[in-house]
């Protein structure tokens, strides 16, 4: 053993054995003849595509590589580096928004017993969500907003999760154009094939996630790069796989090719030979074609035998669609909405607004709870304009917006179908006569942050600029997790980024209308910011924007907050029902931010992106004491006087309505429609 060459050979043999012990890899170019483990509704199509879910609602599908991954490095006792590369496609049902997404997972076993669908993606459930004992690492490719995650900003996004559906890092689904800082959006549920790479650096403990369309090479810059130590999360051996789920929204989720490697880059896939996700159609065959012919013939014979009188009665109930209606997606049948609301009975009435009554309903097709707004109009042209607007606004998707699911026209009634939100409006919680439930400061702060995120999406992050034009507490609805969601887009206007709004009519609600609107009538993102500032003051103080007192007239909330500021104690304006249980720094910041956002001069207001930075603590709110202390008189001149002008004007249609809860009077200026 004195021969040095022998020592070298032994060392090489030892190193080879060590490397083999730490290596693990596989490649699937399609899944025909594979031993992949499947459960739920997951199947392998004849083409070789791994289909995790089908077109059914409320189903789950899982697929796992059959052999466990020895994920821990035997020498360092830490999680080894690993890399996975796969191609997926999400095909939504026609005329639906699809849902809910799929996830790559590392889990202790090849399955998720007791997992729920919907936002849990078939991985976790309400009981075990967030528990360290799950030992689950997941990268989600999510297509529906409204997660119980707290950090995701858009339905079309990607997130890194450990043991919880709350992402530790999340980004909209984009990829970086190589050599630049420019990003291009990747729409996850178009049915097109999408490449995804997930790389974990076990030395530096960094997870990188990258995506791109099929015709784009892997971008140099990852979409997400997050420092996270997976050693406390994972077990010594883990199963690699995928999970997908549907709920009241359905899509077919496909994995078309997949490679994985421990301690090295995942192997390449033969993209030219990968299967392609089929479009969302009913498969055709000779037998099924024959069945359709036979069924059609039989049905025709039955209909003919029913008689002319029966046919006449049925034809009277048939919904005849005009050409313009066929162009607007997501149309519900009137009979389904009539059945869902039990004939629009008053017992199902949950609200009355300036544009119509809102009813709670349960869709007979899938049992989903919805809110149906019934709007009456005698103007066919106005109906067509509104329908054209639905076509654009119906694509808005954000967890802090009330999503429009669809619509229906029946004679002179336009029916809009929205997500049902169980806890009612913010103003009903702030001003309810029964004081048994008081929103905590944490709940209030979470609500205003959510509405800010929703407005940022409308102003800057969607395809077009959307001006809401009626931001107020009665249009903020509170979901089951006490998150705020902005609704009622009846007054909203859209225009392209980089262009100016051409809106020239004054609409909105007294107390939230920016002063410049009464002069020019031009709505802008700044007028939404103004109304949001008033909302901040309202939430912090527990008082409406204008308090009507018999014999004293109207008291403007902002004037009172400024008076508290000038007297040196702005916290005197805080809602006394909080019993001083709040974060003093946050409360003061919210009150000051409310005053700055509702500044009479538009140029003095921040953008919603700046507002988000202040609320998230990314930037400190500048000291505006001198500026704020001098705008009280401006507010009286610019705001209160304008209210008086509006009240005395004969040119603007004014209608006063009483809110159903709290007996607080609110005056709306209705224009446009």
């Amino acid at each position: 053993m004195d021969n040095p060459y022998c020592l070298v050979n032994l060392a090489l043999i030892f190193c080879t054995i060590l490397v083999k012990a730490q290596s693990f890899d596989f490649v699937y170019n399609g899944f025909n003849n594979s031993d992949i483990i499947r459960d739920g509704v997951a199947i392998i199509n004849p083409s070789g595509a791994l289909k995790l879910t089908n077109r059914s609602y409320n189903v789950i599908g899982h697929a796992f590589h059959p052999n466990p991954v020895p994920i821990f490095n035997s020498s360092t006792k830490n999680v080894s580096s690993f890399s996975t590369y796969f191609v997926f496609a999400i095909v939504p049902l026609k005329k639906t928004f699809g849902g809910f997404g799929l996830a790559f997972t590392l889990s202790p076993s090849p399955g998720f017993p007791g997992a729920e669908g919907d936002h849990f993606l078939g991985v976790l459930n309400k009981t075990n969500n967030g528990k360290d004992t799950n030992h689950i690492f997941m990268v989600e490719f999510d297509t529906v907003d409204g997660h119980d995650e707290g950090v995701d900003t858009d339905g079309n996004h990607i997130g890194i999760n450990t043991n919880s559906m709350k992402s530790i890092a999340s980004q909209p689904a984009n990829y970086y154009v190589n050599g630049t800082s420019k990003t291009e959006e990747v729409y996850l549920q178009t049915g097109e094939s999408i490449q995804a790479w997930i790389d974990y650096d076990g030395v530096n403990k960094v997870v990188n996630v990258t995506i791109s369309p099929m015709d784009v090479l892997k971008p140099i810059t990852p979409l997400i790069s997050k420092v996270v130590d997976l050693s406390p999360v994972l077990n010594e051996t883990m199963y690699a796989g995928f999970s997908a789920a549907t709920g009241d929204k359905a899509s077919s989720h496909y994995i078309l090719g997949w490679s994985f490697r421990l301690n090295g880059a995942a192997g390449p896939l033969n993209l030219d030979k990968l299967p392609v996700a089929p479009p969302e159609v009913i498969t055709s065959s000779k037998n099924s074609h024959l069945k359709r012919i036979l069924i059609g013939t039989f049905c025709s014979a039955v209909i003919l035998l029913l008689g002319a009188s029966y046919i006449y009665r049925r034809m009277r109930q048939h919904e005849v669609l005009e050409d313009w209606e066929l162009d607007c997606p997501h149309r519900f049948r009137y009979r389904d909405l009539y059945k869902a609301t039990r004939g629009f009975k008053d017992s199902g009435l949950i609200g009355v607004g300036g544009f119509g009554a809102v009813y709670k309903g349960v869709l007979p097709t899938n049992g989903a709870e919805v809110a149906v707004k019934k709007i009456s109009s005698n103007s066919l042209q106005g109906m067509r304009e509104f329908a054209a607007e639905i076509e654009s606004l119906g694509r808005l998707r954000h967890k802090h917006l009330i999503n429009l699911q669809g619509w229906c026209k029946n004679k002179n009634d336009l029916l809009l179908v929205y997500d049902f939100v169980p806890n009612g409006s913010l103003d009903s919680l702030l001003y309810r006569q029964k004081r048994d439930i008081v929103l905590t400061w944490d709940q209030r702060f979470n609500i205003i942050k959510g509405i800010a995120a929703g407005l940022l999406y409308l102003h800057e992050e969607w395809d077009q600029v959307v001006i809401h034009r009626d931001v107020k507490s009665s249009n903020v609805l509170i979901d089951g997790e006490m998150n705020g969601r902005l609704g009622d887009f009846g007054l909203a206007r859209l225009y392209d980024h980089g262009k100016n709004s051409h809106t020239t009519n004054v609409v909105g609600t007294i107390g939230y209308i920016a002063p410049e609107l009464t002069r020019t009538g031009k709505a802008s993102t700044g007028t939404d910011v103004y109304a949001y500032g008033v909302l901040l003051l309202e939430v912090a103080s527990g008082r409406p924007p204008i308090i009507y007192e018999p014999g004293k007239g109207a008291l403007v909330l902002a004037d009172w907050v400024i008076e508290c500021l000038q007297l040196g104690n702005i916290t005197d304006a805080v809602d006394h029902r909080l019993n001083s249980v709040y974060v003093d720094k946050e409360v003061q910041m919210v009150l000051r931010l409310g005053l700055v956002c509702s500044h009479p001069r538009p140029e003095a207001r921040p953008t919603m992106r700046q507002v988000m930075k202040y609320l998230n603590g990314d930037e400190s709110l500048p000291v505006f004491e001198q500026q704020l202390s001098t705008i009280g008189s401006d507010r009286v001149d610019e705001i209160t006087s304008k209210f008086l002008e509006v009240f005395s004007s004969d040119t603007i249609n004014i209608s006063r309505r009483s809110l159903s809860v709290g007996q607080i009077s609110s005056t709306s200026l209705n224009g446009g429609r």
Side-chain angles (χ1 to χ4, degrees):
M1 195 63 68
D2 293 334
N3 189 328
Y5 292 103
C6 292
L7 294 175
V8 171
N9 289 334
L10 286 174
L12 288 174
I13 293 171
F14 176 76
C15 290
T16 302
I17 294 172
L18 181 62
V19 169
K20 287 184 177 180
Q22 296 296 321
S23 66
F24 183 95
D25 64 275
F26 56 81
V27 177
Y28 295 103
N29 285 296
F31 294 88
N32 278 336
N33 302 316
S34 70
D35 52 358
I36 202 98
I37 299 174
R38 306 185 306 276
D39 69 9
V41 298
I43 62 170
I44 297 175
N45 278 1
S47 66
L50 173 58
K51 188 176 184 180
L52 296 172
T53 65
N54 52 35
R55 300 177 299 159
S56 303
Y57 296 98
N58 301 305
V59 295
I60 295 171
H62 301 136
F64 296 88
H65 182 70
N67 301 322
V69 182
I71 200 72
F72 267 76
N73 187 306
S74 59
S75 59
T76 65
K77 303 302 182 182
N78 289 321
V79 169
S80 301
S81 298
F82 64 84
S83 173
T84 188
Y85 167 41
F86 54 92
V87 176
F88 70 93
I90 302 176
V91 184
L93 286 174
K94 288 185 176 180
K95 298 185 179 181
T96 72
F97 302 132
F100 268 75
L102 61 87
F104 167 79
T105 64
L106 290 175
S107 59
S109 62
F112 301 103
E116 298 180 20
D118 287 358
H119 297 300
F120 291 101
L121 299 182
V123 179
L124 298 171
N125 57 46
K126 295 177 182 177
T127 303
N128 65 5
N129 184 28
K131 291 188 176 181
D132 293 340
T133 54
N134 292 328
H135 298 293
I136 290 174
F137 168 74
M138 172 171 59
V139 175
E140 58 173 279
F141 299 80
D142 202 341
T143 58
V144 178
D145 63 291
H147 259 50
D148 181 24
E149 295 182 87
V151 295
D152 297 334
T153 59
D154 187 9
N156 190 62
H157 76 270
I158 297 170
I160 298 173
N161 300 18
T162 57
N163 296 324
S164 170
M165 296 311 300
K166 182 176 181 180
S167 297
I168 60 175
S170 175
Q171 288 291 333
N174 297 319
Y175 71 93
Y176 282 92
V177 179
N178 282 339
T180 71
S181 59
K182 179 183 177 183
T183 60
E184 294 286 348
E185 185 163 9
V186 177
Y187 295 97
L188 298 179
Q189 57 173 342
T190 61
E192 299 294 327
S193 299
I194 299 169
Q195 302 178 90
W197 295 265
I198 302 168
D199 303 295
Y200 178 69
D201 183 344
V203 177
N204 297 308
K205 298 177 174 54
V206 175
V207 175
N208 290 325
V209 181
T210 311
I211 62 169
S212 74
M214 282 288 280
D215 57 350
V216 177
L217 296 175
K218 182 180 181 181
I220 297 172
T221 305
L223 172 63
I224 304 175
S225 186
K226 176 67 175 177
V227 176
V228 54
D229 185 3
L230 294 183
S231 298
V233 178
L234 305 181
N235 291 339
E236 290 187 2
T237 59
M238 303 292 289
Y239 283 85
F242 297 90
S243 178
T246 66
D248 57 352
K249 302 174 177 66
S251 293
S252 296
H253 299 83
Y254 292 89
I255 305 297
L256 308 174
W258 179 26
S259 69
F260 182 97
R261 177 167 294 164
L262 207 59
N263 294 312
L269 297 174
N270 191 335
L271 300 183
D272 293 332
K273 294 185 178 180
L274 292 186
V276 177
E280 207 302 292
V281 296
I282 301 175
T283 52
S284 177
S285 66
K286 292 182 179 179
N287 290 337
S288 62
H289 183 64
L290 178 61
K291 288 179 181 178
R292 285 197 296 272
I293 293 175
L294 293 174
I295 292 173
T297 303
F298 176 76
C299 291
S300 298
V302 171
I303 291 174
L304 289 174
L305 293 174
L306 290 177
S309 61
Y310 179 80
I311 295 175
Y312 176 75
R313 288 196 302 271
R314 294 297 296 170
M315 288 298 293
R316 285 180 60 89
Q317 298 177 12
H318 183 68
E319 298 177 54
V320 180
L321 304 183
E322 301 176 44
D323 291 341
W324 66 271
E325 294 181 70
L326 297 174
D327 295 331
C328 293
H330 320 308
R331 186 185 187 279
F332 284 86
R333 295 189 306 175
Y334 178 77
R335 70 185 70 175
D336 288 339
L337 298 184
Y338 188 88
K339 185 176 180 180
T341 59
R342 297 186 178 181
F344 300 99
K345 290 185 178 180
D346 290 343
S347 58
L349 191 66
I350 57 176
V352 179
F355 285 93
V358 183
Y359 300 84
K360 180 181 178 181
V362 179
L363 293 177
T365 53
N366 57 17
E369 291 185 324
V370 293
V372 182
K373 178 181 287 188
K374 188 176 185 181
I375 304 169
S376 297
S377 173
N378 294 319
S379 169
L380 179 60
Q381 181 62 30
M383 193 82 76
R384 290 180 179 178
E385 291 176 356
F386 206 1
E389 199 164 313
I390 290 170
E391 188 173 5
S392 295
L393 292 175
R395 293 187 292 117
L396 291 172
R397 282 295 172 273
H398 192 275
K399 66 178 296 183
H400 292 294
L401 300 180
I402 299 298
N403 296 320
L404 178 65
Q405 292 191 15
W407 68 286
C408 174
K409 184 184 77 70
N410 181 59
K411 298 181 180 178
N412 289 331
D413 290 335
L414 182 67
L415 306 174
L416 301 180
V417 183
Y418 295 95
D419 297 341
F420 175 72
V421 182
N423 285 325
S425 62
L426 176 59
D427 69 325
S428 69
L429 295 177
L430 287 174
Y431 312 129
R432 64 170 69 231
Q433 288 181 329
K434 295 181 179 180
R435 304 291 180 166
D436 53 333
I437 299 177
V438 177
L439 288 174
T440 67
W441 173 250
D442 286 344
Q443 290 171 332
R444 299 183 195 210
F445 194 53
N446 181 58
I447 289 168
I448 59 179
K449 286 174 68 176
I451 300 306
L455 282 172
L456 175 60
Y457 172 78
L458 295 178
H459 290 178
E460 299 184 26
E461 296 178 344
W462 195 55
D463 297 345
Q464 292 179 285
V465 178
V466 181
I467 309 173
H468 187 277
R469 299 206 301 170
D470 202 16
V471 177
K472 58 182 178 179
S473 58
S474 59
N475 282 341
V476 174
L477 302 184
I478 310 302
D479 65 19
E481 305 299 326
M482 299 305 292
N483 295 309
R485 299 176 67 180
L486 183 61
D488 201 338
F489 288 82
L491 297 178
R493 288 292 182 269
L494 301 87
Y495 60 92
D496 292 334
H497 289 279
K499 296 184 179 180
N500 294 323
S501 168
H502 297 291
T503 303
T504 56
N505 55 324
V506 179
V507 296
T509 302
I510 288 294
Y512 300 90
I513 300 175
E516 67 268 20
L517 266 177
T518 61
R519 294 193 302 268
T520 67
K522 283 188 174 294
S524 66
T525 55
T527 57
D528 275 356
V529 173
Y530 181 94
Y532 177 75
V534 176
L535 179 69
L536 290 180
L537 301 178
E538 189 177 1
V539 171
S541 68
R543 295 170 178 246
I546 299 178
I547 306 168
Y548 299 95
E549 298 183 0
K552 295 183 180 180
L555 172 65
V556 179
L557 174 61
D559 292 343
W560 176 63
V561 176
I562 289 174
E563 183 179 344
C564 294
L565 175 66
Q566 291 171 334
L567 293 175
N569 195 358
I570 194 172
T571 55
D572 286 348
V574 178
D575 191 346
H576 64 87
R577 288 176 296 154
L578 290 174
N579 294 320
S580 298
V581 180
Y582 53 78
V583 180
D584 186 74
K585 182 179 179 181
E586 289 179 350
V587 164
Q588 293 203 40
M589 182 269 292
V590 167
L591 288 169
R592 285 180 166 84
L593 182 58
L595 293 176
V596 175
C597 287
S598 60
H599 197 287
R601 296 195 301 275
E603 66 275 9
R605 301 170 201 154
T607 64
M608 289 310 303
R609 187 169 296 280
Q610 290 171 309
V611 168
M612 283 297 296
K613 290 179 180 179
Y614 298 143
L615 292 175
N616 289 330
D618 297 332
E619 290 185 10
S620 297
L621 185 66
V623 178
F624 292 107
E625 299 298 330
Q626 183 176 0
Q627 183 185 18
L628 294 176
S629 63
T630 60
I631 64 176
S633 59
D634 291 343
R635 287 184 180 277
V636 174
D637 295 336
E638 295 286 341
I639 304 173
T640 309
S641 63
K642 293 299 178 184
F643 294 153
L644 297 177
E645 290 177 16
V646 170
F647 277 120
S648 61
S649 172
D650 294 328
T651 62
I652 300 178
N653 176 32
I654 301 175
S655 63
R656 175 168 291 187
R657 61 184 175 84
S658 297
L659 299 177
S660 59
V661 182
Q663 302 300 316
I664 296 174
S665 178
S666 172
T667 304
S668 298
L669 306 178
N670 296 328
R673 301 193 204 291

